[in-house]
Structure formats: C-alpha cells, structure tokens
Amino acid sequence: MNVYDSEQIAIQLAAAGYQQTPLLEKADLVILNTCTVRAKAEQKAFSFLGRLARLKKKKPGLITAVGGCVAQQEGAKILERVPHLDLVFGTQAIDRLPDLIGKIETKRCRIVDVAMAEQPDPFDAAPAADHHSQVARFVTIMRGCDNYCTYCVVPYVRGREASRHPDRIMEEIKLLVGSGVKEVTLLGQNVNSYGKKEGLLSFAELLFRVQTIEGLLRIRFTTSHPKDLDQDLIDAFRANEKLCSHIHLPVQSGSNRMLKRMNRNYTRELYLDKVAKLRDTCPGIAITSDMIVGFPGESDADFDETLDLMRKVEFDGLFAFMYSDRPNAPATQFKAKISEPLKRERLQILLEMQETYTKKKNEGLIGSIQTIIAEGFSKRQSAASLDEPNPAAQWSGRTATNKIVNFYHQAISGNGGAIFPGKLVQVKIEKAYAHSLWGKPVDIDSTAGGLKGEKSYAA
Ligand code: SF4
C-alpha cells in the first residue's frame, strides 16, 4: 500500500516540476512515507527524521516532509518532536501535496494537513500512470477498512472502507499496460468486500473485467480477509486465466480464543475449511499468511493451537510478527501482556517451523518447468552491469505462485530469442533456496503451460 502511495506522491510531484533523485544529498525535497502498523516501523521513521537534521543544516533550503500513517496518527505532535520538519501530511492529503509544497516554497511556513474526508468517502480517484518501465505494478482498488481488528490502527489512520469505481480501475490498468506493464496487483485492506458498500461489482466480477484487458498477462491481489472469502472468488482461481495461483490469507492466530480477542470474526475451523476449498478448486495454489505471536493473553495452549494450524495448512510463506501496542488500537488496553522474551521465543519456534515448510514447498518444484514473467535483473546483479548488455546477466521473475526464480540469460535454448522485461519465460527449476528458486530457461514467449504455468507442475 505504501509503495503504491509513494508512486502516487511521485506522480503528483512530477506534475509540480519535481524529479526523483537516488541521492539524498542532492534532494531539494525529502518525503518520508511512513507505516505505523508496528512499533518498530514507527521507531525507524523517527530515527530517519532525526538524521535529516544534519542534511538540513548543510542545506537550509531543503524541504522535509512526512506522510503516511504515522503522520496521520501523530499530526502536529511530529512538528513539535522534529523541529527541522516542514510538512506533515496525512493518508488522504496526497493529491493536495503540490499545493502544500508550493506554499512552503514561497512562504517558508510549517504545515500540518491530516484532514480526512467526511464519511461516507466516495473513492473515485482518477487514473494515474507514469512511464516507469516496470513489468509489475500495484493498483489500488479500495482504501480504508471497517473491520476494527483490536490490534490494528488502519481504520483510524486510513479511514472507513471505500471502493474505487471499476471504470477508474480499468482506465488505470489500461494506461499501465500501454506503458509496458504486464502484471498488476490489485490492492485493498480487504479486497473481498470490494464494492459491497457502494453496490458496485463484486471483487470476483472485477477480476473478470480486468482479465479482458488485452496485453495484461497476470493479475494478483492482496489482501483477503478470511471471513469474506467467498466461493465466487475461490472459483475465480480456476476460471480466470490471468489470476495467479497465490493467495495471501492472513490468519493471525490458530486459537479461537485469540481470534475472538482480535475481533477477527472467524474461527480456525472456518479458516481451515476455506483453505481446503481453495486447494480443491485450484490444486497447487500457494497460500501465504500473517501471524501475530504474543497477543495479550496468549497462553501456551493458544500458541500450540497456532502451531497445530501451521502443521495442518503448511503455508508456502509466512510473515510472523511479535505483537506490539499501537496507539488507538483497543488491544493496547488489554491486560495479560506477554513478556518480550516469551514473544521472541514463540516467534523463533514459529519461524523455524515455517522454514521447513517453505523449504519443502520449494524443493518440491525442482525438476518442474515454471512460467515466469522476466521482471529484470536479479537483486544480486551488480548495478554496474545494468548499463550495458550482459549475456551472463542474472535475471529474475516470479512464478504464478509468487516464488522468485533467478536464472542466467545465457542458458537459453529451445525457442531462443532475447529476454527482456515482460517476456514470458519457461524456466526449468534446478535448485531451491529459502527465499528463491534457481533455474534454467528452456523457452521464451511460449504459453504452452498457460499464463500460470500450472500444467508444468512436477507434482
Ligand atoms: S482487516 Fe483488520 S488487520 Fe486488516 S486492515 Fe482491517 S482492521 Fe487492520
């Protein structure tokens, strides 16, 4: 969500005459886009803001701004805490940024703009696309959340749930595809409830509409709330040929007692039932999740229930976190807080267990041929080589199940031809690592395995 918002900030400011620079020291304007979902992210934000003081001393004309959820939550308090800061802007102020920055440029004043729209807030943002040559991009389809999980600040800092009109979404994706994008990830805090409040399309219907866009190869989405995952969406994994076989379905705990205290509105039984339906409908679908350890009151028995659920599901990947109190979140007031050492111990157990499943899943793909979209050079590729063609370049892309595959361009055989970002490549998987796969390209531009490459699964 923040990556998408940062792109929107860049688009707004480009129209106001600003260009992005990779060098902090060269910037005339520094914007920090923040996240407050966990205490650690907020601490990091304040530590970065502190470091900006030195830069501002060297360059007094520098404009410094902070946006995102910490800005929305703390508002004017940040200006008091960070004396060298010029602007605090909230989650709904992105389209007002050019005006706000303009005022600071001319009047050298300090501004706080954390105003949120009155409810209900129609979300009808015009399409925004730029010319960054990326293969995969995010597209926001809704904002805010109505779920009020007791540990979460999103409803307070991003407002109530509002869905974007499907016509605007389609326009934006078509613009992106026109500039070379092949894959979009539709974003929302709970995409499964897309359009319900406004009486728009259902999310499954939206996915089928997006599927019709010519030139678009793949669709992903995040995030799904288990309570709202319906059969139509489950069926879409089979019927929608561009919808990737991966779902991120945050469970947060395997204990019904904890799920109730978290206000998640589902049980472990319902979650396991949805997982079974997904796997029945779309064998080979990758399921990833989020888990919180050390939620207030979590007993050893509750934690065992979480481990038991993990054994039953065998997630492809897991984002696990230690619970931390967040301002405004109801759980902050809950008694029976878990000690930091116990939280750390539980996190460690959970991560070690998950590692075995991730390894097992990845190793199961060795020998299979996966369809990936070449996204660019792999992370390990040296930056220097990006400037010149390099036949030994290490490329990277993702499977339909969202696993990263790295490979050498030079290893191509079969259909041959050049690889460039956006090309469909069939890759034979040779090695499995903890966070990626390694393979050898065997064909380019072939859709023999379908866009998802599912027909090529080894097992
Ligand atoms: S569903 Fe719950 S955890 Fe997710 S954004 Fe909404 S309130 Fe937060």
Side-chain angles (χ1 to χ4, degrees):
M1 196 67 81
N2 273 20
V3 170
Y4 180 84
D5 284 350
S6 296
E7 286 171 3
Q8 299 310 305
I9 289 170
I11 290 167
Q12 290 285 341
L13 291 175
Y18 280 91
Q19 277 180 329
Q20 279 180 266
T21 168
L23 297 171
L24 192 61
E25 295 69 28
K26 282 203 164 180
D28 300 308
L29 162 66
V30 175
I31 297 182
L32 178 65
N33 192 13
T34 58
C35 170
T36 183
V37 76
R38 270 170 280 281
K40 204 170 166 189
E42 189 174 326
Q43 286 154 11
K44 277 187 180 174
F46 276 104
S47 131
F48 178 81
L49 287 175
R51 291 200 300 277
L52 281 184
R54 247 177 296 149
L55 203 60
K56 186 117 178 180
K57 215 171 180 181
K58 273 200 231 156
K59 200 172 177 179
L62 178 73
I63 298 175
T64 53
V66 61
C69 292
V70 175
Q72 188 67 49
Q73 182 181 278
E74 300 296 315
K77 280 190 262 171
I78 308 182
L79 283 193
E80 283 167 30
R81 188 167 162 185
V82 187
H84 51 275
L85 192 65
D86 299 300
L87 171 65
V88 177
F89 65 98
T91 52
Q92 293 186 11
I94 292 176
D95 52 358
R96 299 192 288 272
L97 257 185
D99 281 350
L100 297 169
I101 301 285
K103 265 188 208 151
I104 295 170
E105 280 169 351
T106 51
K107 298 185 183 156
R108 298 310 305 184
C109 52
R110 302 177 85 201
I111 301 178
V112 176
D113 180 352
V114 289
M116 290 186 103
E118 292 297 313
Q119 306 303 338
D121 167 30
F123 178 27
D124 197 25
D130 55 17
H131 298 289
H132 284 131
S133 56
Q134 282 176 20
V135 170
R137 290 288 290 267
F138 295 116
V139 173
T140 196
I141 62 164
M142 55 205 300
R143 68 181 179 202
C145 185
D146 288 349
N147 283 309
Y148 293 94
C149 302
T150 52
Y151 53 82
C152 181
V153 292
V154 166
Y156 310 98
V157 292
R158 288 199 175 254
R160 302 300 299 267
E161 185 180 289
S163 297
R164 191 176 181 193
H165 195 281
D167 292 351
R168 302 290 91 72
I169 296 168
M170 291 292 284
E171 284 165 25
E172 183 161 320
I173 299 174
K174 283 177 187 168
L175 269 174
L176 290 170
V177 170
S179 67
V181 168
K182 303 288 181 198
E183 176 183 305
V184 288
T185 301
L186 307 182
L187 287 179
Q189 304 293 349
N190 178 18
V191 293
N192 301 352
S193 61
Y194 172 82
K196 281 187 185 157
K197 256 171 135 174
E198 294 83 358
L200 301 167
L201 306 175
S202 72
F203 182 56
E205 286 166 340
L206 177 71
L207 287 171
F208 282 105
R209 199 180 274 195
V210 173
Q211 183 197 226
T212 63
I213 296 176
E214 219 171 296
L216 181 70
L217 297 181
R218 281 181 171 174
I219 308 166
R220 300 182 191 273
F221 64 81
T222 197
T223 291
S224 271
H225 195 302
K227 77 175 164 54
D228 296 315
L229 174 62
D230 60 18
Q231 193 58 44
D232 284 352
L233 182 54
I234 293 174
D235 289 340
F237 280 105
R238 183 170 51 202
N240 187 316
E241 60 161 8
K242 294 183 183 174
L243 182 60
C244 286
S245 328
H246 167 230
I247 187 165
H248 186 69
L249 197 62
V251 62
Q252 310 297 6
S253 171
S255 152
N256 282 338
R257 203 173 70 86
M258 288 299 103
L259 290 172
K260 194 151 192 227
R261 274 168 78 80
M262 290 175 174
N263 194 32
R264 291 291 287 173
N265 287 306
Y266 55 83
T267 59
R268 59 180 273 129
E269 291 76 20
L270 184 123
Y271 187 89
L272 290 169
D273 180 57
K274 303 235 167 158
V275 166
K277 284 182 174 141
L278 281 162
R279 287 185 168 152
D280 271 358
T281 308
C282 183
I285 191 169
I287 302 177
T288 54
S289 197
D290 295 339
M291 203 75 87
I292 295 172
V293 294
F295 189 76
E298 185 187 62
S299 65
D300 286 347
D302 293 316
F303 182 60
D304 284 345
E305 291 275 277
T306 291
L307 296 180
D308 180 69
L309 183 131
M310 284 181 58
R311 278 183 214 105
K312 288 192 162 78
V313 178
E314 298 195 0
F315 292 110
D316 286 71
L318 188 74
F319 297 95
F321 306 96
M322 295 193 290
Y323 167 83
S324 57
D325 281 344
R326 307 306 303 123
N328 296 325
T332 300
Q333 308 301 327
F334 288 5
K335 302 269 183 302
K337 292 277 159 56
I338 307 299
S339 72
E340 290 301 308
L342 185 54
K343 278 194 239 175
R344 265 196 296 277
E345 187 187 319
R346 287 180 179 166
L347 181 67
Q348 199 52 37
I349 295 170
L350 204 110
L351 291 176
E352 278 169 20
M353 180 185 270
Q354 181 54 43
E355 213 177 287
T356 60
Y357 295 129
T358 308
K359 204 162 166 253
K360 181 175 153 190
K361 300 259 173 185
N362 285 355
E363 285 175 356
L365 296 175
I366 293 176
S368 71
I369 294 174
Q370 299 288 319
T371 304
I372 62 127
I373 300 179
E375 289 186 20
F377 293 120
S378 79
K379 273 193 179 166
R380 292 178 61 188
Q381 187 69 38
S382 79
S385 65
L386 294 173
D387 296 331
E388 51 195 66
N390 180 357
Q394 203 182 103
W395 283 74
S396 184
R398 279 175 301 152
T399 64
T401 50
N402 210 29
K403 296 180 195 300
I404 294 168
V405 180
N406 296 315
F407 57 93
Y408 279 128
H409 186 192
Q410 64 180 20
I412 280 256
S413 61
N415 194 21
I419 293 179
F420 54 80
K423 278 265 187 185
L424 279 171
V425 186
Q426 304 282 331
V427 181
K428 184 165 187 189
I429 305 302
E430 294 180 333
K431 289 179 195 159
Y433 302 106
H435 302 290
S436 64
L437 300 162
W438 177 262
K440 179 179 175 184
V442 291
D443 210 347
I444 303 178
D445 265 351
S446 163
T447 52
L451 290 174
K452 303 183 195 185
E454 277 162 351
K455 290 173 199 146
S456 352
Y457 267 79

